[in-house]
Amino acid sequence: MTTPFYGPDFDALEQFDPEIAGVLVSELARIRSGLQLIASENMSSPAVIAALGSTLTNKYAEGYPGRRYYGGCSEVDKAETLAIERCKALFDADHANVQPHSGASANQAVYGAFMQPGDTILSMALPMGGHLTHGTKVSFSGKWFNAVSYGVERESENIDYAEVERLAKEHRPKVILAGGSAIPRLIDFEFFRNLADEVGAIFWVDAAHFIGLVAGKAIPSPVPYADVVSFTTHKVLRGPRAGAIVCKEEHAKTIDKAVFPMMQGGPQMHSIAAKAVNFKECATPEYADYAKQVIANARQLATSLGEHGIRPTTGGTDTHLSLHDLQGIGVTGAEAEQRADAAGIVLNKNAIPFDPAKPNIASGIRVGSPSVTTQGMGTDEMKVIADLIHTAITQGDGDPEHPVAKQVRAGVSELVERFPAYPR
Ligand code: DSN
């Protein structure tokens, strides 16, 4: 069948640029041959990838649908309008901006909308589970704004709500931010909303990690509580690598102006079309089942790793990820990452709360279930994966030729043959 549009032509690429064509092929082989447990990754659908690999990449469309600074925008206007309407419906939001190129770009726009250089933001510290763009000194967010950080309680390893309240009342921040990249538990949005009202702050949720679970109605939504919610579209959500923002109607104009023209120029229309496809996928019953299974799988993985002495911080998870303390088994995060990788299991080292190790070594690992759940694996497979991780990181040495790495890779192969990524 001939495609009715000018789509990806792999033969032409292979002929013109065999080196890059080779990378595309070997990356797919890498994905297919291993277990992808990076909590922030997923496997977007062929429909999403088709939209990404389209001629929409060519169009300049600075502005918004119906209000562009270029001619010829009639068709991309349709794509962006669909993306906006589907995003609003999916999250029951007053307003959506689907132009941010990434999560960091979306966050930059939120700062631009609500803060002036030197203003104070109250956010979670990166080593406690926060994010680079939440005020770390190496990021624009920490260089241009005054970031006051909260952490977690030592005992429960959950957000220290008493500390959040104390710091909010002491510093009177312009913005209070909830969310991060290594928070296994649900966040009490109502607490943050009430506190923001009490101190006169904007309440912002960076929902990048868990927004896919919200889309699938598997966990409570921050949208009714927050002034503004930023997120990425490629994690549990399973869309293109990009960002988006939803907000209350009263902030709509401010957010739109902060995304364009304050922080970005031309929107990436191929990516916006792919977001529209993704939002449509997320509104299906199949996606809701997927989101619930992501949590069931993450819980099983956390429990089974815990039974091997690989302690889940906070005692488990309510979401798609768990964070594990390796100190009890005498392995560092860096060693675990390398040993797992050598055995075909891709995960990342991660600081745990109050980590005594440096960030590039770390005492923990973060594991996530979005990708393996997309492949169709369930809780039985999570038990097997936990066994494989335990064997790889306690008996391997990081050398792919080590007999233990080979033995674990055989177990991985058995799983991925039954549950292939991008089945042929
Ligand atoms: N790098 C992403 C993550 O892995 O959580 C967040 O930006």
Side-chain angles (χ1 to χ4, degrees):
M1 199 181 86
T2 39
T3 52
F5 82 111
Y6 190 86
D9 184 343
F10 188 76
D11 290 344
L13 174 66
E14 202 173 26
Q15 213 168 9
F16 177 71
D17 192 341
E19 287 156 295
I20 286 295
V23 173
L24 267 54
V25 171
S26 57
E27 169 62 2
L28 181 57
R30 184 193 70 78
I31 293 170
R32 282 181 168 153
S33 64
L35 292 171
Q36 313 305 323
L37 298 176
I38 304 275
S40 48
E41 292 180 5
N42 208 333
M43 295 171 184
S44 54
S45 70
V48 165
I49 292 174
L52 281 174
S54 70
T55 54
L56 269 63
T57 191
N58 296 328
K59 191 73 197 91
Y60 253 119
E62 279 161 295
Y64 290 100
R67 294 176 283 133
R68 303 287 189 184
Y69 289 83
Y70 288 83
C73 290
S74 59
E75 304 315 302
V76 293
D77 271 9
K78 291 178 195 166
E80 185 162 350
T81 302
L82 280 170
I84 290 168
E85 292 308 321
R86 288 175 185 173
C87 184
K88 281 165 58 180
L90 187 63
F91 298 113
D92 202 12
D94 294 350
H95 180 74
N97 187 307
V98 296
Q99 292 196 2
H101 302 326
S102 68
S105 306
N107 289 355
Q108 212 171 12
V110 177
Y111 282 96
F114 297 112
M115 296 177 71
Q116 295 295 322
D119 279 350
T120 298
I121 183 163
L122 177 60
S123 55
M124 190 174 221
L126 178 62
M128 293 284 174
H131 188 255
L132 201 61
T133 57
H134 294 184
T136 55
K137 284 288 166 215
V138 291
S139 137
F140 74 92
S141 56
K143 288 185 191 293
W144 298 341
F145 303 100
N146 174 39
V148 175
S149 304
Y150 58 86
V152 300
E153 294 171 343
R154 251 181 205 280
E155 191 62 22
S156 69
E157 297 171 310
N158 276 319
I159 293 172
D160 188 340
Y161 288 99
E163 183 183 35
V164 178
E165 185 170 351
R166 180 175 59 73
L167 291 172
K169 288 180 176 168
E170 186 182 333
H171 295 276
R172 300 264 152 188
K174 197 85 170 270
V175 173
I176 299 179
L177 171 55
S181 56
I183 305 174
R185 296 298 186 173
L186 299 181
I187 298 169
D188 185 346
F189 302 126
E190 195 176 358
F191 165 87
F192 276 101
R193 172 74 270 166
N194 291 338
L195 182 62
D197 287 342
E198 204 179 329
V199 300
I202 291 285
F203 175 33
W204 168 21
V205 175
D206 180 344
H209 259 272
F210 59 83
I211 195 73
L213 302 175
V214 175
K217 313 275 185 271
I219 62 168
S221 173
V223 174
Y225 299 98
D227 290 288
V228 57
V229 177
S230 61
F231 57 93
T232 50
T233 49
H234 52 268
K235 297 189 171 82
V236 186
L237 204 62
R238 215 164 49 183
R241 173 165 298 281
I245 300 172
V246 294
C247 66
K248 303 275 183 231
E249 189 58 44
E250 65 193 281
H251 304 306
K253 281 202 175 83
T254 315
I255 284 293
D256 283 354
K257 282 186 192 157
V259 174
F260 170 83
M262 188 176 185
M263 296 298 176
Q264 291 188 177
Q268 300 184 347
M269 297 314 307
H270 60 307
S271 178
I272 289 173
K275 288 176 211 184
V277 174
N278 172 236
F279 296 142
K280 186 169 182 177
E281 290 174 341
C282 291
T284 61
E286 291 74 24
Y287 183 83
D289 291 345
Y290 165 73
K292 287 181 190 77
Q293 191 62 47
V294 165
I295 297 176
N297 282 353
R299 285 201 168 125
Q300 185 63 59
L301 201 47
T303 302
S304 298
L305 286 169
E307 285 164 4
H308 281 299
I310 305 174
R311 185 184 76 82
T313 65
T314 77
T317 181
D318 302 320
T319 63
H320 60 298
L321 69 84
S322 56
L323 186 61
H324 292 265
D325 176 0
L326 304 174
Q327 293 174 106
I329 57 166
V331 176
T332 68
E335 286 167 339
E337 180 182 298
Q338 196 190 0
R339 291 175 189 180
D341 201 26
I345 301 172
V346 184
L347 45 77
N348 63 278
K349 61 178 172 288
N350 212 102
I352 54 168
F354 310 104
D355 201 325
K358 290 190 181 129
N360 59 348
I361 301 292
S363 301
I365 50 171
R366 187 186 67 166
V367 294
S369 59
S371 294
V372 288
T373 309
T374 293
Q375 288 173 255
M377 295 187 209
T379 50
D380 286 345
E381 287 73 40
M382 296 307 116
K383 294 176 195 169
V384 176
I385 291 175
D387 292 346
L388 294 172
I389 292 173
H390 176 249
T391 304
I393 70 178
T394 56
Q395 296 172 42
D397 65 359
D399 178 359
E401 297 307 315
H402 191 286
V404 166
K406 288 184 178 172
Q407 174 202 324
V408 172
R409 276 211 304 281
V412 169
S413 294
E414 196 274 324
L415 277 176
V416 298
E417 271 160 31
R418 279 199 294 133
F419 299 94
Y422 294 107
R424 280 162 231 270

